[in-house]
Amino acid sequence: MLTTDVGLGNQAILTKIDKLRELNVGTIVPLPQLIVVGDQSSGKSSVLESLTGFSFPRAAGLCTRYATQITCCRDLRKSVAISIIPRPDADESLKSQLLKFRFHSTEINNHELSEVFEAANKTMGLRMDANDDNAGVGAFSEDILKIEISGPEHAHLTVIDVPGIFRLPTPGLTTESDVVMVQNMVKSYMKNSRTIILAVIPCNVDIATQEILRLAEAADPEGVRTMGVLTKPDLATEKATQNMVLDLVLGKRNKLTLGYCIVKNRSADDNASTMSERHAAEKAFFMAPPWASVADRCGVTSLQARLRELLMDISKRELPHVRAEIEKLLHSCKLDITALGAPRADQGSQRLFLGKIASKFQGITQHALNGYYTGDPIFKSEPSLKLATRMMQLNESWSDLFLEKGHKRHFDPQWDDEEVVSSLHKNDQHPFKISLTKHPELSDIICTDEYDCPSPSEGPIIDHVKEVFKSSRGPEIGTFGGAILATVFEEQSEKWEPLALWHTSRVIALVHDYICQLLDKLCPDTQVKDQLWSTFLDEKLRDAYRHAMGHARFLLSIEREGRPTTFNHYLNANLQKKRKERMSKSFKDIAVPLDNDENDLYIPVEKIDEYVLNKDNAQQICDDIVDTLMSYYKVSRKRFVDTLCQQVLNHFLLDGDEGPLKVLSSESIMSLEPDQLEIIAGEDTASKRQRQNLAQEIERLEAAIKVLRA
């Protein structure tokens, strides 16, 4: 064995990587490593024996059924320690059993070693011969046998041996599934970008037929981390075969950046020679032609030096990246286990878990309703949760739309322009899109069709009022009955119903979407969230939305179907203003200029008499109806818009104690029955397993961080 020390700093790096592998970190973060792969009977075990100085048992079937990690360390005293690293998915019982397997000795013979390997195979539960009739026992294992060798002649080196590739199962011992399992195991080791692949190939076979090279090329297409190790050169007796091997070593037929090395195996019958005797025999063999021309790439000593160099290079280069990946993964695992919350095995923990969600929900919702968007960082990442802002945009745009198009027929153009000009188009009528069909559970409560409000019809409204008066007048003399005003008002306000119900539906959809979105953020556990909806929230929310829609319809019936009523002095002020405007316009029509000055007009007395006399009773009544209708419509529209926003939207949907935003509260969680708690917040088997897996992974990763920081 080569005795050159790798240096204390370098040895510390390699030791850290070995400890990370012991923690099974290599199953989740790729680690720098050397793996020895090859077809069965390729001489793989002999290469490992030459590299490590460890004599594997020669009995058939031993040390080929699982990955074997062999670590050589320099020490003044000789020792061998053998243990098992459990497979990643081992349950606690099996893991405890595997970890109990330990062997340590300073002197060991082949017979004793065979017994140790047999005991390891039994502990892993392997089927070693055709006489084993236990159908549940496998021939291969994903556990790792760890062998630590110390002695003064060793330098630090870790290599991993994986089972040899084979194509045909052995009846009674291996199956087709074992063939696939071994291939997948080998592939999983080879695909690691931090793995140096030692592909062992006998010199006396056609390289093109070697399965291992095909697998290596698939894992390392550029050939930058694969080294070929040619074995059994003493069996390459033909000149053509020897020349082919030399061409590979010299790079003439070589696709591998790391090239090829040649080592000589001990014969199958050689059980007595020592390691030093084998090295001497190998050295003498390669001094003879044709191998002397490539002596620097021949022999185990040359291979050891090259492998230590490669392992050290990749370890130094990749260790900072390994640490960064471990830290990132640890952070992610902690976030995932935090999202699961505390374990929920009893009523107290279940109620506390849901109570925290409800408390957080109410806190954020109060900020959303008050427009206090700096109160929680969620508003920065989820701007659609700014509920107060979105409600103001919806209400203002709807109010403007109601003002512009809410009446069926245009009033007097002067009256129309009076308010419309000052506020029309002040806001976009569609500030943002709200889908009314996004949530199927609302389809039987809200109006799911968009309402495109038509513009008021053109033409003087007085003509329509005259028709209604003719068909509906009563016995009144010189005036009109309240029924006529109610009739024309109900007709003039017929678009109020679709406008009000459409707007209420939009606000319900907005509130419901807010609740869904916020709950998604506060409760990432899909099962808990789904149970919370189906068991508790769904029907209560639907009831709240029904109340809101019902109250909107109630307000519509009060305003449109009842007797026109108001005690607002604004009605009389509007009515007098309209009468004054009508009279003023009529007088202007009969005014004449004084001294031909168009700006100085007067009305002759005889003209006034003509104006009064020419206006019949029916026309006067119809003018009064129009004036009253316009004045009352203004008062009613403003009252209805404000009442709908205040009562239906603000009270029933936003602020009321029975509103949808108050359904999920700490009080409601406290009122849940024990069976409801278990259904909603009880952990299922999958959640418990996920929590357990995350806890185990966090434990491994934290231990890995300690190793890296040491």
Side-chain angles (χ1 to χ4, degrees):
M1 293 288 291
L2 191 71
T3 58
T4 304
D5 199 346
V6 296
L8 295 177
N10 293 342
Q11 184 165 332
I13 292 175
L14 298 177
T15 300
K16 285 182 178 182
I17 293 173
D18 289 341
K19 289 182 178 179
L20 293 179
R21 195 172 288 109
E22 288 178 33
L23 294 169
N24 251 333
V25 173
T27 60
I28 50 179
V29 176
L31 297 176
Q33 59 190 7
L34 298 171
I35 66 165
V36 181
V37 294
D39 290 5
Q40 283 189 345
S41 303
S42 62
K44 193 159 54 72
S45 296
S46 295
V47 171
L48 283 167
E49 184 177 321
S50 298
L51 285 173
T52 62
F54 182 78
S55 298
F56 289 93
R58 307 291 280 186
L62 293 178
C63 199
T64 58
R65 306 303 180 88
Y66 36 77
T68 306
Q69 174 187 317
I70 309 124
T71 300
C72 303
C73 296
R74 182 184 296 280
D75 198 290
L76 294 177
R77 292 175 295 180
K78 287 186 175 183
S79 67
V80 174
I82 300 177
S83 58
I84 298 174
I85 300 175
R87 68 201 75 167
D89 60 349
D91 58 40
E92 288 302 314
S93 175
L94 177 59
K95 183 178 178 181
S96 175
Q97 177 184 342
L98 294 172
L99 289 175
K100 286 179 181 178
F101 181 85
R102 296 276 176 177
F103 173 83
H104 184 271
S105 178
T106 55
E107 296 292 340
I108 187 169
N109 56 52
N110 192 268
H111 175 72
E112 186 178 9
L113 192 58
S114 296
E115 292 180 347
V116 173
F117 273 78
E118 288 174 357
N121 295 338
K122 184 177 180 181
T123 303
M124 295 182 197
L126 294 179
R127 182 177 67 251
M128 297 309 299
D129 56 56
N131 296 324
D132 196 331
D133 57 358
N134 189 342
V137 173
F140 294 88
S141 172
E142 293 183 86
D143 302 317
I144 300 174
L145 188 70
K146 178 185 175 185
I147 303 174
E148 298 173 279
I149 310 164
S150 300
E153 75 280 11
H154 291 293
H156 199 115
L157 179 67
T158 297
V159 292
I160 297 174
D161 178 32
V162 293
I165 295 289
F166 64 103
R167 299 170 184 80
L168 299 175
T170 301
L173 185 59
T174 59
T175 63
E176 291 287 352
S177 62
D178 291 327
V179 175
V180 175
M181 178 183 177
V182 170
Q183 284 209 1
N184 290 337
M185 186 190 303
V186 173
K187 288 177 182 178
S188 68
Y189 275 95
M190 294 171 70
K191 72 179 181 180
N192 177 2
S193 61
R194 296 177 179 134
T195 290
I196 301 297
I197 303 169
L198 301 184
V200 179
I201 309 154
C203 289
N204 61 331
V205 299
D206 183 1
I207 286 187
T209 66
Q210 293 296 287
E211 177 82 0
I212 198 61
L213 280 182
R214 185 183 63 80
L215 296 178
E217 185 175 3
D220 177 29
E222 297 180 1
V224 294
R225 53 185 183 85
T226 302
M227 176 185 286
V229 180
L230 299 168
T231 61
K232 306 180 182 180
D234 49 322
L235 299 182
T237 55
E238 296 181 359
K239 191 69 175 179
T241 304
Q242 293 176 348
N243 289 336
M244 180 196 68
V245 173
L246 290 175
D247 286 346
L248 287 173
V249 176
L250 292 171
K252 295 179 181 180
R253 299 175 54 190
N254 180 11
K255 296 180 180 179
L256 306 180
T257 302
L258 301 182
Y260 283 83
C261 285
I262 313 174
V263 295
K264 181 180 178 298
N265 309 67
R266 63 167 168 166
S267 67
D269 299 328
D270 182 5
N271 295 318
S273 63
T274 63
M275 191 62 68
S276 58
E277 290 173 342
R278 292 174 204 159
H279 283 313
E282 182 188 52
K283 184 177 180 180
F285 176 82
F286 286 122
M287 289 176 65
W291 315 113
S293 60
V294 290
D296 59 327
R297 302 286 288 188
C298 294
V300 70
T301 302
S302 174
L303 179 59
Q304 286 171 333
R306 180 67 176 137
L307 293 182
R308 273 195 293 272
E309 180 184 330
L310 290 172
L311 183 59
M312 185 53 61
D313 286 347
I314 195 172
S315 298
K316 284 183 176 180
R317 183 176 69 249
E318 295 294 335
L319 198 59
H321 302 298
V322 169
R323 176 169 178 168
E325 288 179 23
I326 290 174
E327 290 174 343
K328 181 179 179 180
L329 190 57
L330 177 59
H331 178 69
S332 175
C333 289
K334 287 183 175 179
L335 289 179
D336 289 344
I337 203 168
T338 300
L340 289 176
R344 306 185 300 273
D346 53 42
Q347 292 182 30
S349 58
Q350 292 165 0
R351 205 179 297 276
L352 179 62
F353 172 74
L354 294 178
K356 286 182 178 179
I357 293 176
S359 178
K360 186 68 173 175
F361 182 94
Q362 288 301 320
I364 293 175
T365 298
Q366 284 305 306
H367 293 325
L369 291 173
N370 295 331
Y372 181 52
Y373 301 134
T374 58
D376 195 283
I378 196 172
F379 296 109
K380 184 176 294 185
S381 61
E382 303 294 335
S384 58
L385 294 178
K386 295 181 177 181
L387 194 55
T389 301
R390 292 165 72 84
M391 281 296 303
M392 288 296 293
Q393 291 173 336
L394 277 184
N395 285 338
E396 286 181 348
S397 65
W398 176 72
S399 177
D400 287 344
L401 179 63
F402 209 101
L403 172 63
E404 179 192 3
K405 298 182 177 181
H407 44 290
K408 181 177 181 179
R409 292 181 174 85
H410 274 304
F411 290 108
D412 181 276
Q414 185 179 354
W415 181 88
D416 287 346
D417 293 343
E418 181 181 309
E419 288 187 299
V420 175
V421 168
S422 63
S423 61
L424 186 59
H425 302 311
K426 182 171 59 178
N427 293 293
D428 186 356
Q429 290 178 2
H430 301 285
F432 52 87
K433 179 69 175 177
I434 294 180
S435 173
L436 297 174
T437 57
K438 180 179 179 180
H439 301 286
E441 63 270 23
L442 303 180
S443 61
D444 61 335
I445 299 174
I446 66 174
C447 302
T448 56
D449 294 330
E450 293 289 337
Y451 180 59
D452 186 11
C453 186
S455 298
S457 60
E458 301 293 338
I461 194 173
I462 186 67
D463 294 342
H464 176 69
V465 170
K466 286 179 181 179
E467 293 296 326
V468 174
F469 178 71
K470 286 180 182 179
S471 62
S472 306
R473 67 184 301 180
E476 300 88 354
I477 300 176
T479 184
F480 62 90
I484 292 180
L485 179 62
T487 300
V488 293
F489 175 77
E490 183 179 15
E491 188 178 44
Q492 185 71 343
S493 63
E494 68 180 28
K495 289 189 286 185
W496 286 21
E497 180 171 347
L499 274 170
L501 296 182
W502 170 66
H503 183 52
T504 304
S505 297
R506 288 198 303 166
V507 174
I508 288 174
L510 175 68
V511 170
H512 193 69
D513 204 52
Y514 168 88
I515 293 172
C516 293
Q517 188 177 356
L518 182 55
L519 198 57
D520 282 344
K521 294 295 179 183
L522 299 182
C523 184
D525 189 320
T526 304
Q527 180 179 342
V528 173
K529 183 175 57 185
D530 290 346
Q531 290 296 337
L532 192 59
W533 273 111
S534 60
T535 305
F536 179 67
L537 290 178
D538 183 60
E539 198 53 43
K540 290 182 179 295
L541 290 175
R542 287 164 53 83
D543 285 345
Y545 301 145
R546 288 191 189 98
H547 290 159
M549 290 295 287
H551 196 70
R553 291 187 173 93
F554 169 75
L555 293 178
L556 283 165
S557 67
I558 292 296
E559 286 292 349
R560 298 188 61 245
E561 299 171 11
R563 184 182 297 110
T565 304
T566 183
F567 297 99
N568 192 332
H569 70 278
Y570 187 58
L571 172 71
N572 186 59
N574 276 339
L575 188 57
Q576 296 302 326
K577 181 178 179 183
K578 288 308 300 176
R579 287 172 176 171
K580 181 186 73 172
E581 289 172 354
R582 187 181 299 279
M583 183 178 294
S584 176
K585 184 179 183 300
S586 298
F587 282 146
K588 285 180 181 179
D589 292 340
I590 61 176
V592 295
L594 182 65
D595 298 331
N596 295 322
D597 185 355
E598 295 294 336
N599 295 321
D600 191 5
L601 303 176
Y602 76 98
I603 303 172
V605 174
E606 64 271 15
K607 290 285 186 181
I608 296 176
D609 292 340
E610 181 183 330
Y611 167 74
V612 174
L613 291 174
N614 286 340
K615 204 167 192 179
D616 63 21
N617 185 55
Q619 182 178 349
Q620 181 63 55
I621 291 174
C622 287
D623 285 343
D624 287 344
I625 292 174
V626 171
D627 291 344
T628 305
L629 173 63
M630 287 191 288
S631 300
Y632 182 73
Y633 184 91
K634 270 189 177 182
V635 171
S636 181
R637 174 183 57 77
K638 292 178 179 179
R639 178 175 63 198
F640 178 72
V641 168
D642 285 346
T643 303
L644 185 87
C645 289
Q646 186 174 29
Q647 294 187 15
V648 176
L649 309 184
N650 290 351
H651 177 72
F652 279 93
L653 292 176
L654 298 183
D655 300 321
D657 290 338
E658 303 300 321
L661 295 177
K662 298 295 177 63
V663 170
L664 182 59
S665 64
S666 300
E667 292 78 9
S668 62
I669 297 303
M670 292 301 296
S671 67
L672 290 174
E673 298 295 331
D675 58 336
Q676 290 179 301
L677 279 174
E678 179 61 33
I679 292 173
I680 296 171
E683 285 190 297
D684 61 2
T685 303
S687 296
K688 291 176 182 178
R689 187 182 301 112
Q690 182 184 9
R691 185 189 302 280
Q692 182 180 7
N693 291 341
L694 284 170
Q696 291 175 347
E697 196 155 309
I698 287 172
E699 183 181 0
R700 276 195 289 165
L701 293 171
E702 286 179 338
I705 293 295
K706 288 182 180 179
V707 168
L708 291 169
R709 289 175 179 172

